[in-house]
Amino acid sequence: MLIAQLSDLHVCSDPTLSAKNIFAERAIEAIWRLKSRPDVVILTGDVTEFGTAEEYKLVGRMLSRLDMPIYPIPGNHDDRDRMRAEFRQIGQLTAGYKLLNYVIETRPVRLIGLDSVIPGRAEGALAQEALDFLDDALAKERRVPTLIFLHHPPIMTGLESKDGIRLFKGADRLVNILAGHPQIERIVSGHFHRSIQARFGNTICQVSPPVRYMTPAERGDVDEHEIDEELPGFLLHRWIETVGLVTQICPIPLTGGNLSI
Ligand SMILES: [Fe+2]
Ligand SMILES: [Fe+2]
């Protein structure tokens, strides 16, 4: 099984900002060209820049090049209801609920998406509804290796610009829930706009690089939103029965390509 993870596409329909959609186009092109076709694509939030209906239509058109199932969860730049309207499969999975928490019963790896957004805030939280959902979902299937995906990483990084916007509320109970479930292979997220990994509870939290732009977190002399010097990227998670989940960081070139959507 091969899972592609795109994070922080920040697709924008405002013509003054939309030139940077080229990164999302290149990332989608890179997935389309892969020799091994991913079975599924997960989008770990900040799919759009402003959460407008036009942006969801635009990103939907861009992603229509890919013919595998695509499952997004929201980030702080997204709008839950508009995301639900554009990605109908998510609408069906979460019908009757406010938050976008859901399980994809794929095999050999089961996927659980969690909604960590606090509307209007950059930092994240897991509400009781999300934590109860996770607890129930894990209790229902204890043997299948499971990947949890959400936007806000629950880990400390030591980087001032990241630690103020991480997942705060709910992180302690998340550790307790994970403790009873050794089937959890990994937690994957986005939001930090850098590739970062750390232990979290009894598993590993892996933060995807962004599709749109990297932030130079270790440099104090630059405005992090104006710098495009480092390569953005995406993750490919391959399940190998004798090993577990093996993750590649795939850089997206900053130059070349002139793709139209
Ligand atoms: Fe982002
Ligand atoms: Fe974010």
Side-chain angles (χ1 to χ4, degrees):
M1 182 178 184
L2 187 63
I3 303 158
Q5 178 186 354
L6 299 178
S7 202
D8 297 272
L9 292 80
H10 289 269
V11 166
C12 186
S13 59
D14 179 336
T16 61
L17 299 169
S18 60
K20 295 212 170 169
N21 292 342
I22 189 73
F23 294 119
E25 292 175 35
R26 286 188 189 130
I28 292 164
E29 170 84 6
I31 289 174
W32 186 73
R33 287 183 185 280
L34 288 170
K35 200 166 144 192
S36 306
R37 176 184 177 276
D39 298 281
V40 61
V41 176
I42 56 175
L43 308 177
T44 41
D46 287 357
V47 175
T48 64
E49 180 68 6
F50 298 113
T52 66
E54 293 74 24
E55 288 177 344
Y56 285 104
K57 286 272 165 291
L58 181 57
V59 77
R61 277 207 303 280
M62 293 164 86
L63 289 164
S64 67
R65 293 189 73 188
L66 304 176
D67 61 355
M68 65 287 287
I70 297 173
Y71 294 105
I73 40 102
N76 50 303
H77 283 256
D78 287 307
D79 180 282
R80 280 188 190 113
D81 292 333
R82 289 177 186 145
M83 177 175 273
R84 216 192 294 258
E86 178 61 32
F87 294 89
R88 301 245 168 96
Q89 66 279 30
I90 303 307
Q92 287 164 7
L93 286 168
T94 61
Y97 293 94
K98 188 179 81 165
L99 301 181
L100 303 187
N101 304 307
Y102 56 88
V103 182
I104 313 296
E105 295 291 359
T106 42
R107 296 290 184 274
V109 181
R110 188 175 186 236
L111 307 174
I112 300 180
L114 295 178
D115 183 336
S116 59
V117 171
I118 312 169
R121 308 282 301 186
E123 76 271 25
L126 285 176
Q128 190 167 335
E129 179 185 327
L131 291 161
D132 289 347
F133 176 88
L134 177 66
D135 207 6
D136 288 351
L138 291 170
K140 275 184 194 135
E141 181 50 84
R142 292 176 173 275
R143 286 168 304 178
V144 179
T146 299
L147 180 71
I148 296 171
F149 61 108
L150 77 173
H151 183 61
H152 294 87
I155 53 170
M156 286 281 287
T157 63
L159 303 168
E160 202 180 327
S161 63
K162 309 299 174 200
D163 287 342
I165 58 168
R166 66 191 172 95
L167 183 100
F168 287 98
K169 194 163 168 255
D172 289 348
R173 192 176 158 212
L174 179 60
V175 170
N176 291 338
I177 291 171
L178 301 182
H181 294 285
Q183 77 270 32
I184 295 162
E185 187 71 18
R186 197 84 52 89
I187 295 177
V188 296
S189 64
H191 189 51
F192 281 169
H193 286 237
R194 292 195 70 75
S195 174
I196 297 173
Q197 299 84 38
R199 179 195 291 268
F200 181 75
N202 64 346
T203 190
I204 298 284
C205 176
Q206 180 149 23
V207 185
S208 174
V211 165
R212 173 98 178 212
Y213 56 83
M214 294 280 269
T215 56
E218 296 284 3
R219 288 179 59 187
D221 58 335
V222 292
D223 177 342
E224 65 177 29
H225 290 292
E226 290 181 2
I227 293 296
D228 277 332
E229 290 176 350
E230 293 184 72
L231 292 179
F234 61 93
L235 297 181
L236 277 180
H237 309 283
R238 175 175 276 110
W239 177 256
I240 300 177
E241 199 60 46
T242 52
V243 179
L245 207 60
V246 178
T247 298
Q248 297 177 59
I249 300 170
C250 306
I252 303 166
L254 290 176
T255 56
N258 184 20
L259 310 171
S260 58
I261 49 172

